[in-house]
């Protein structure tokens, strides 16, 4: 069977932890994997060579060549937490990149789950690419974290939303689980974040140990990810209303208008 080109879109360096197992599976099957980061990873849009190096190290351990990793968010100076304000430029740069490296046959996106505003913006950019590349049926979203059903700063890790469709779960071997957990200690610049994430990742790996994926839908983005305010609003990063206000023109021009976005 001919190899396929799989493209992973991440908002930030370290988002790859949500799909360690899928990246490894694709490479083992002989498929070609490309990775793109859509923000610079810095709040001011400046370069973060430390974060880049960490992700390149982890991806290299998975088998992804450094030449297949692209930091277009850094090239464009897109600030961490502000991706929704830069989506047209990022999509244009992404389209140009795909023209050079080849259109994806498999596409992987951060889930539409209201966890981080950049994750939801990356989902929108990915859907626009999926539509233009005619690969929506082969596009999958992966969950990182969401605050659905919770309050305050609390969140759930690896908790797919039912509204996002059927959950495709693949069980990881214990060798894979131990290997991937070790990778989580290779992001020293994000140590504070990982203090909060790792206990939940450890619990998921020990109890379930599954790689979780879901299909994607153009219609789904015309509604809020879940009832109640999203986690990013509860944490004071961005209100849902502000996100939708910035997202509407991009959706109308690059994805297609179905109905009014409803917070």
């Amino acid at each position: 069977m001919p190899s396929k080109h799989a493209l992973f879109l991440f908002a930030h360096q370290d988002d790859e932890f949500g799909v360690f197992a899928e990246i490894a599976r694709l490479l083992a099957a002989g498929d070609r994997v490309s990775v793109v980061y859509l923000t610079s990873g810095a709040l001011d849009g400046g370069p973060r060579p430390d974060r880049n190096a960490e992700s390149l190290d982890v991806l290299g351990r998975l088998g992804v060549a450094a030449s297949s990793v692209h930091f277009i968010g850094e090239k464009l100076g897109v600030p961490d937490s502000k991706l929704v304000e830069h989506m047209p430029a990022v999509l244009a740069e992404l389209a140009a990149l795909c023209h050079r490296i080849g259109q994806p046959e498999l596409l992987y996106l951060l889930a539409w789950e209201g966890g981080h505003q950049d994750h939801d913006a990356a989902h929108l950019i990915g859907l626009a690419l999926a539509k233009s590349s005619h690969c929506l049926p082969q596009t999958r979203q992966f969950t990182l974290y969401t605050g659905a059903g919770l309050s305050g700063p609390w969140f759930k890790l690896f908790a797919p939303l039912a509204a996002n469709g059927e959950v495709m779960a693949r069980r990881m071997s214990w060798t894979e689980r131990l290997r991937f957990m070790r990778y989580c200690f290779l992001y020293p610049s994000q140590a504070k974040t990982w203090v909060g994430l790792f206990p939940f990742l450890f619990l998921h790996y020990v109890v379930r140990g599954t790689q979780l994926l879901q299909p994607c839908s153009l219609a789904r983005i015309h509604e809020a990810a879940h009832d109640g305010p999203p986690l990013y609003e509860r944490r004071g990063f961005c209100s849902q209303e502000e996100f939708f206000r910035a997202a509407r023109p991009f959706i109308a021009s690059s994805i297609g208008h179905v109905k009014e976005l409803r917070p």
Side-chain angles (χ1 to χ4, degrees):
M1 181 180 296
S3 64
K4 296 180 179 178
H5 181 204
L7 178 61
F8 288 80
L9 299 184
F10 301 129
H12 317 109
Q13 304 91 323
D14 81 355
D15 287 346
E16 60 269 14
F17 82 87
V19 278
F20 282 160
E22 185 65 3
I23 292 174
R25 184 190 71 81
L26 290 167
L27 290 169
D31 292 320
R32 180 163 68 101
V33 170
S34 297
V35 172
V36 178
Y37 293 96
L38 304 180
T39 75
S40 74
L43 293 175
D44 63 358
R48 284 295 303 266
D50 54 340
R51 297 195 71 178
N52 293 353
E54 290 165 3
S55 284
L56 286 170
D57 178 28
V58 172
L59 291 170
R61 292 168 189 260
L62 288 166
V64 180
S67 59
S68 296
V69 183
H70 308 276
F71 299 95
I72 67 173
E74 177 179 278
K75 178 180 179 180
L76 297 174
V78 179
D80 183 335
S81 299
K82 300 293 184 181
L83 180 56
V84 72
E85 299 175 10
H86 299 266
M87 292 193 294
V90 171
L91 179 60
E93 185 67 27
L94 181 59
L97 174 66
C98 289
H99 182 73
R100 296 194 301 272
I101 67 175
Q103 296 297 324
E105 296 161 281
L106 306 171
L107 185 58
Y108 293 85
L109 317 177
L110 289 147
W112 183 250
E113 60 185 352
H116 192 293
Q117 67 272 25
D118 282 351
H119 296 178
D120 284 4
H123 185 87
L124 295 176
I125 293 168
L127 284 185
L129 179 65
K131 182 180 179 183
S132 65
S133 301
H134 308 290
C135 66
L136 185 63
Q138 290 77 45
T139 300
R140 300 289 179 263
Q141 59 182 312
F142 62 93
T143 175
L144 286 187
Y145 53 82
T146 180
L150 302 174
S151 60
W154 299 105
F155 64 91
K156 296 176 282 189
L157 190 73
F158 300 150
L161 299 180
N164 284 340
E166 175 189 3
V167 178
M168 294 161 270
R170 185 181 75 82
R171 187 169 294 278
M172 294 179 272
S173 69
W174 278 104
T175 299
E176 288 179 302
R177 298 183 211 189
L178 293 172
R179 174 190 175 196
F180 300 150
M181 281 193 283
R182 287 197 298 271
Y183 291 169
C184 297
F185 293 93
L186 299 178
Y187 300 99
S189 73
Q190 302 304 299
K192 185 181 296 186
T193 296
W194 276 101
V195 167
L197 290 177
F198 187 77
F200 297 101
L201 181 141
F202 178 82
L203 183 63
H204 176 82
Y205 272 36
V206 169
V207 176
R208 296 182 177 175
T210 50
Q211 171 70 76
L212 304 172
L213 299 170
Q214 292 174 281
C216 294
S217 164
L218 299 182
R220 173 77 172 104
I221 60 168
H222 294 276
E223 60 188 25
H226 56 76
D227 293 336
L231 182 64
Y232 59 77
E233 179 175 307
R234 301 203 312 261
R235 287 180 164 180
F237 297 148
C238 170
S239 74
Q240 187 167 242
E241 182 180 352
E242 290 170 339
F243 180 89
F244 282 176
R245 187 184 308 122
R248 285 188 182 101
F250 177 83
I251 291 177
S253 63
S254 301
I255 300 175
H257 186 79
V258 176
K259 60 182 180 180
E260 184 73 6
L261 275 169
R262 299 183 184 279

